[in-house]
Amino acid sequence: MADARSELASPELIDLRTDTVTRPTPGMREAMAAAEVGDDVYGEDPTVTALEAEVAALFGHEAALFAPSGSMANQIALQLHVPPGDELLCDADAHVVTYEVGAAAAYGGISSRTWPAVGAELDPDVVAGMIRPDGYFAVPTRAIAVEQTHNRGGGGVIPLPTLRRMREVADEHGVALHCDGARIWHAHIADGVPLAEYGVLFDTLSVCLSKGLGAPVGSLVVGSAEKIARARFLRKRMGGGMRQVGILAAAGRYALAHHVERLADDHVKAARLAEAVAPHGVLASVVRTNIVPLDLTKHPLDAHALATAARAEGLLISVLGPRTARLVTHLDVTDAQIDRAATILNTALRA
């Protein structure tokens, strides 16, 4: 059997499974090699400190904390708001309850309750009606989490007026509002909303450097100085204390300087892919960012069959369900590869 690692490293393969499969660019590698470092557990890594200050300022908050993964950043933020046994509200497809292997319950003792999955089309009044106050044996709601952009919602962008209304709902009920902003950079580019305008709406955010921006590792928790001081303790408890991590922080700083504005290119490529599959009755939801969800409900091929046929021709796509597949554009995909991917998909869907 061929070594799967060798296959995935093949230059002929077009990998549209996700935007975390990118490799550092030459400029990013140079920045990493030249990074000034220190022991970050002691707070002595100057490159990490600079990254944290930069990201906090971008979102208009006092402080930020570098973490090794988006899941850890999310779970740290949730523990800042929700004591063990109390409740988090989020949608049924939210990353924090779908792709983080039960961490909210396992690490934070957090009880979660969800509203029906609607992607970015959430209704703040529905959420408001779900909030439980302190009361006789009820589980009180302490925080609401939203996702910008929405992964399983096809990279959908929650409109700014909706987020402002969510902030009002949180304030009216005395609960915290957290943003899983793994791809908030995409929302910023798609809608032109300044990052600080997003930031002011949330008590905490998690923002990712390896989804879309091309850094090899890392996310940050963003919030008040008081919350981030507590977050540093929680990160250590969860095994996230790191030493000379400025090498990775330098990649993140390079990504912020060079890879945010270019996300518009990924959005254009995603729209081209969506247009390519449309004639075959495959519903590609309105594509606003870099994710193209494929609804195969009315197509003879199921998602696994499409993925198998595509892989045989050198194209990797994600299977999210029996009739749902996904394409994600990113830094390492060229225009020529997009054209080739469209051809492969068209051929498979005509079969």
Side-chain angles (χ1 to χ4, degrees), residues 15 17 67 71 120 141-142 179 240 244 250 260 281 286 302 306 310 333 343:
D15 196 342
R17 291 172 299 170
S71 292
T141 304
R142 301 300 185 194
C179 179
Q244 289 73 28
V260 175
V286 178
D302 63 18
L306 178 61
V333 181
T343 299

Side-chain angles (χ1 to χ4, degrees), residues 30-301:
E30 290 177 11
M32 295 169 72
E36 185 180 359
V37 299
D39 191 322
D40 186 52
V41 171
Y42 286 103
E44 295 174 356
D45 191 303
T47 308
V48 174
T49 300
L51 172 66
E52 291 170 341
E54 181 179 354
V55 171
L58 284 174
F59 288 93
H61 276 269
E62 292 179 327
L65 178 71
F66 188 53
S69 74
S71 292
M72 182 179 286
N74 272 330
Q75 295 304 321
I76 288 171
L78 297 184
Q79 290 178 55
L80 291 174
H81 302 305
V82 186
D86 289 358
E87 182 179 79
L88 168 75
L89 293 182
C90 62
D91 83 272
D93 272 347
H95 194 282
V96 295
V97 293
T98 303
Y99 292 125
E100 298 182 11
V101 292
Y107 287 111
I110 294 171
S111 177
S112 301
R113 194 156 48 97
T114 62
W115 61 81
V118 290
E121 304 301 318
L122 64 90
D123 184 341
D125 292 329
V126 169
V127 178
M130 295 177 63
I131 295 174
R132 290 173 174 157
D134 285 299
Y136 185 70
F137 292 138
V139 179
T141 304
R142 301 300 185 194
I144 302 165
V146 298
E147 193 170 322
Q148 181 77 311
T149 64
H150 200 291
N151 179 11
R152 288 186 64 89
V157 181
I158 304 173
L160 187 61
T162 301
L163 293 176
R164 286 174 173 159
R165 175 60 187 144
M166 287 297 295
R167 179 71 263 172
E168 292 173 357
V169 167
D171 290 341
E172 288 164 6
H173 292 83
V175 300
L177 186 61
H178 170 67
C179 179
D180 175 358
R183 294 185 177 92
I184 199 167
W185 323 103
H186 290 276
H188 162 62
I189 294 299
D191 277 4
V193 176
L195 294 171
E197 196 160 349
Y198 281 134
V200 73
L201 298 174
F202 299 101
D203 297 285
T204 54
L205 304 93
S206 65
V207 298
C208 186
L209 303 171
S210 65
K211 287 181 177 174
L213 297 190
V217 172
S219 289
L220 293 100
V221 187
V222 184
S224 68
E226 180 181 5
K227 281 184 169 55
I228 297 306
R230 173 65 179 169
R232 193 170 297 275
F233 171 83
L234 293 171
R235 185 186 67 175
K236 181 66 173 174
R237 172 182 281 172
M238 295 173 71
M242 299 174 287
R243 301 298 179 175
Q244 289 73 28
V245 75
I247 294 169
L248 297 176
R253 296 193 74 199
Y254 184 92
L256 290 174
H258 298 278
H259 294 168
V260 175
E261 296 299 323
R262 64 148 307 281
L263 293 175
D265 297 337
D266 295 342
H267 299 175
V268 170
K269 291 183 175 82
R272 284 171 53 200
L273 284 170
E275 185 178 351
V277 301
H280 303 289
V282 177
L283 297 178
S285 302
V286 178
V287 172
R288 304 254 0 262
T289 56
N290 69 322
I291 297 176
V292 182
L294 304 180
D295 181 355
L296 296 157
T297 304
K298 297 182 179 180
H299 197 276
L301 284 181

Side-chain angles (χ1 to χ4, degrees), residues 14-32:
I14 305 166
D15 196 342
L16 298 181
R17 291 172 299 170
T18 184
D19 49 4
T20 62
V21 297
T22 57
R23 273 77 166 180
T25 64
M28 184 179 287
R29 289 178 184 272
E30 290 177 11
M32 295 169 72

